[in-house]
Amino acid sequence: MIWNENIECMDRGNLRKIQSIRLKKIVTHVYQNTPFYRKKMQELGITPDDIESIDDIVKLPFTTKLDLRDNYPFGMCAVPMSQIVRIHASSGTTGKPTVVGYTRKDLSTWTECLARCFYAYGADNSDIFQVAYGYGLFTGGLGAHYGAEHIGASVIPMSSGNTEKQITLMHDFGASVLCCTPSYALYIADAIQDSGIPREEFRLKAGAFGAEPWTESMRKEIEEKLGIKAYDIYGLSEIAGPGVGYECECQSGTHLCEDHFFPEIVDPQTLQPVEPGQTGELVFTHLTKEGMPLLRYRTKDLTALHYDTCACGRTLVRMDRILGRSDDMLIIRGVNVFPTQIESVILELPEFEPHYMLTVDRVNNTDVMELKVEVRADCYSDEINKMLALKKKLTTRLQSVLGLGVDVKLVEPRTIERSMGKAKRVIDNRKLI
């Protein structure tokens, strides 16, 4: 099923009944089959009999990425390995990766959730998907691939990189939907411009972009450069991969597939639930997963949830754009700074490209920030006064938004290294001292 109206538009009271039944079942499943959770629950003095409805979820223990690493590789599995048909792992830069196992039913559930996403973007079996997420242990490539095939679309399994060939096949094969990170979408847009092929010759109409935080300004930039409708797709390996959440045509928040992945928002310091609409850390509990179900998994993503019915008719909860990650937040001289704030400022000023690198350091026991940002080709000048005026404009705006001074360095177009996967925008040298 592609348009799952029964679930996506279900009365919230009935949805909570389904969530309650599934929660009790999954808690029993992990209690009986995952020693880690059985021990955690026994330490809290609870058993599956204490879980009677979805409201009882607050009684359950939290799970962190460290728990997954401590039980590497398959200690969190709740079924025998003979039932695990797919293994993915997160692309962590330090330590061992977090491993995720899927049963055949888990893959079917994940695929159906992605089909919901693509249907919401207006895609169907007449479309050709170019999947430029990475294939392999990363969930993006295969996740989008299976979801597109499920709606009957044709799939070009390009993976990321080899941008010249990306553009050639996108043009020659008539790709209509692009799946990749938003930063790579901008890279592709610039490459198309450099290729000399008129944009009008491409058939792209929509994009499914995720795997990294991005802003409304960046969305407008992508839509303008590629001539498409840019949609957010949300996911994380530990929960399923892309398809945990998706935007509809209204683009007024990301609908979460809460019949499979129950979301909570908690205060990242106290771990207590916050009121609907308030920002906090997103937490997920699997309701239907067989292979490696997680209870109250702390994503570190900061956002808010809204439970009113969307204008599209869907009643599934809507999530605000991810503000950032609680562990990515920079504390500069006592002030909380998110890279997305800096990106928003850069993109609201037409003189700059959406490519930057922020370096944080400590000089004489004081935190300092240096921001390198590309100036658009038609705005870059050899005249010092013009560049100084441009630097002052950006510096002043950053000071207003962040409440902190930033040492701005203006650089020529195409001089900051591009990313074909998740973009690296911040270097914090304080951690090395």
Side-chain angles (χ1 to χ4, degrees):
M1 181 179 292
I2 300 172
W3 165 228
N4 197 339
E5 185 176 3
N6 287 338
I7 290 293
E8 295 181 75
C9 298
M10 180 177 286
D11 172 80
R12 290 208 61 82
N14 289 332
L15 179 59
R16 287 185 70 81
K17 290 178 182 177
I18 291 175
Q19 290 169 334
S20 295
I21 293 169
R22 290 180 173 178
L23 177 64
K24 187 168 180 64
K25 184 177 179 180
I26 209 74
V27 169
T28 300
H29 181 49
V30 298
Y31 189 85
Q32 293 176 346
N33 298 291
T34 311
F36 169 82
Y37 281 123
R38 184 161 57 251
K39 181 181 177 184
K40 281 273 191 180
M41 291 175 65
Q42 287 173 348
E43 289 172 351
L44 293 173
I46 59 174
T47 70
D49 291 337
D50 295 307
I51 307 302
E52 297 180 354
S53 76
I54 197 68
D55 295 326
D56 292 322
I57 199 166
V58 295
K59 299 177 182 178
L60 297 171
F62 287 98
T63 311
T64 67
K65 187 180 286 279
L66 182 61
D67 293 327
L68 271 63
R69 287 182 174 153
D70 286 346
N71 288 275
Y72 175 90
F74 306 124
M76 299 292 282
C77 280
V79 298
M81 286 303 295
S82 59
Q83 295 181 31
I84 298 293
V85 298
R86 174 90 64 80
I87 298 169
H88 280 289
S90 67
S91 52
T93 55
T94 59
K96 292 180 178 178
T98 52
V99 178
V100 186
Y102 304 76
T103 65
R104 196 167 301 281
K105 180 175 176 290
D106 293 337
L107 290 180
S108 177
T109 297
W110 181 21
T111 297
E112 194 270 329
C113 288
L114 276 155
R116 296 183 197 180
C117 301
F118 296 150
Y119 180 85
Y121 302 159
D124 57 29
N125 60 5
S126 66
D127 284 295
I128 299 175
F129 277 64
Q130 183 145 332
V131 180
Y133 285 115
Y135 280 69
L137 288 176
F138 174 58
T139 55
L142 285 171
H145 185 118
Y146 275 69
E149 285 187 343
H150 191 64
I151 67 170
S154 303
V155 181
I156 309 170
M158 279 298 303
S159 193
S160 57
N162 202 348
T163 307
E164 185 177 340
K165 190 173 184 180
Q166 292 267 8
I167 294 168
T168 299
L169 297 190
M170 184 184 296
H171 174 268
D172 296 350
F173 291 1
S176 55
V177 181
L178 173 63
C179 302
C180 64
T181 62
S183 55
Y184 191 44
L186 283 173
Y187 186 87
I188 289 174
D190 289 339
I192 288 175
Q193 186 178 15
D194 294 343
S195 72
I197 304 174
R199 196 185 75 182
E200 294 74 24
E201 291 187 10
F202 290 83
R203 291 183 56 201
L204 284 180
K205 68 177 187 181
F209 304 125
E212 64 188 20
W214 55 308
T215 61
E216 280 299 318
S217 299
M218 195 168 182
R219 187 209 299 271
K220 292 176 183 176
E221 184 88 8
I222 292 170
E223 290 183 338
E224 181 180 326
K225 285 189 170 184
L226 286 177
I228 65 173
K229 189 79 168 173
Y231 292 97
D232 188 40
I233 188 168
Y234 176 79
L236 60 163
S237 299
E238 298 88 340
I239 301 304
V244 173
Y246 57 94
E247 287 185 311
C248 63
E249 67 271 19
C250 301
Q251 294 186 316
S252 59
T254 299
H255 293 282
L256 298 178
C257 295
E258 55 177 319
D259 53 319
H260 296 294
F261 322 109
F262 185 79
E264 301 173 81
I265 300 290
V266 301
D267 184 303
Q269 304 302 321
T270 67
L271 300 185
Q272 293 301 307
V274 304
E275 293 295 320
Q278 290 186 353
T279 298
E281 181 181 339
L282 180 62
V283 173
F284 277 113
T285 295
H286 282 120
L287 296 179
T288 58
K289 196 162 190 179
E290 294 179 335
M292 194 179 289
L294 300 181
L295 304 180
R296 306 191 83 190
Y297 181 73
R298 296 185 58 186
T299 68
K300 300 291 186 177
D301 288 335
L302 298 174
T303 185
L305 299 179
H306 304 277
Y307 291 88
D308 54 311
T309 301
C310 182
C312 72
R314 290 176 177 86
T315 54
L316 293 178
V317 65
R318 285 172 295 130
M319 177 181 76
D320 285 344
R321 275 191 176 276
I322 301 297
L323 175 64
R325 291 175 58 85
S326 59
D327 51 0
D328 284 347
M329 181 180 72
L330 299 165
I331 301 178
I332 312 294
R333 300 195 293 277
V335 178
N336 296 342
V337 176
F338 290 95
T340 48
Q341 292 175 294
I342 293 169
E343 182 180 289
S344 294
V345 171
I346 293 171
L347 285 169
E348 74 181 32
L349 301 176
E351 298 90 346
F352 301 101
E353 293 282 359
H355 303 289
Y356 66 93
M357 180 62 70
L358 178 69
T359 302
V360 184
D361 216 326
R362 186 163 286 138
V363 179
N364 296 326
N365 295 319
T366 301
D367 292 338
V368 295
M369 290 188 291
E370 179 189 88
L371 178 68
K372 289 183 180 179
V373 60
E374 291 183 9
V375 180
R376 291 190 186 277
D378 56 349
C379 296
Y380 195 84
S381 172
D382 292 332
E383 296 182 33
I384 294 177
N385 288 340
K386 286 186 178 179
M387 297 305 288
L388 286 175
L390 203 54
K391 176 178 177 178
K392 182 179 180 181
K393 181 179 181 180
L394 178 56
T395 302
T396 301
R397 181 63 182 142
L398 286 168
Q399 172 75 44
S400 173
V401 171
L402 302 178
L404 291 169
V406 182
D407 181 15
V408 173
K409 306 286 188 186
L410 303 184
V411 299
E412 295 182 50
R414 312 293 177 88
T415 55
I416 293 176
E417 185 178 357
R418 301 298 196 258
S419 171
M420 297 181 187
K422 295 187 180 183
K424 182 173 178 58
R425 304 289 199 192
V426 180
I427 300 173
D428 191 346
N429 289 325
R430 296 173 303 170
K431 300 172 183 176
L432 305 179
I433 296 176

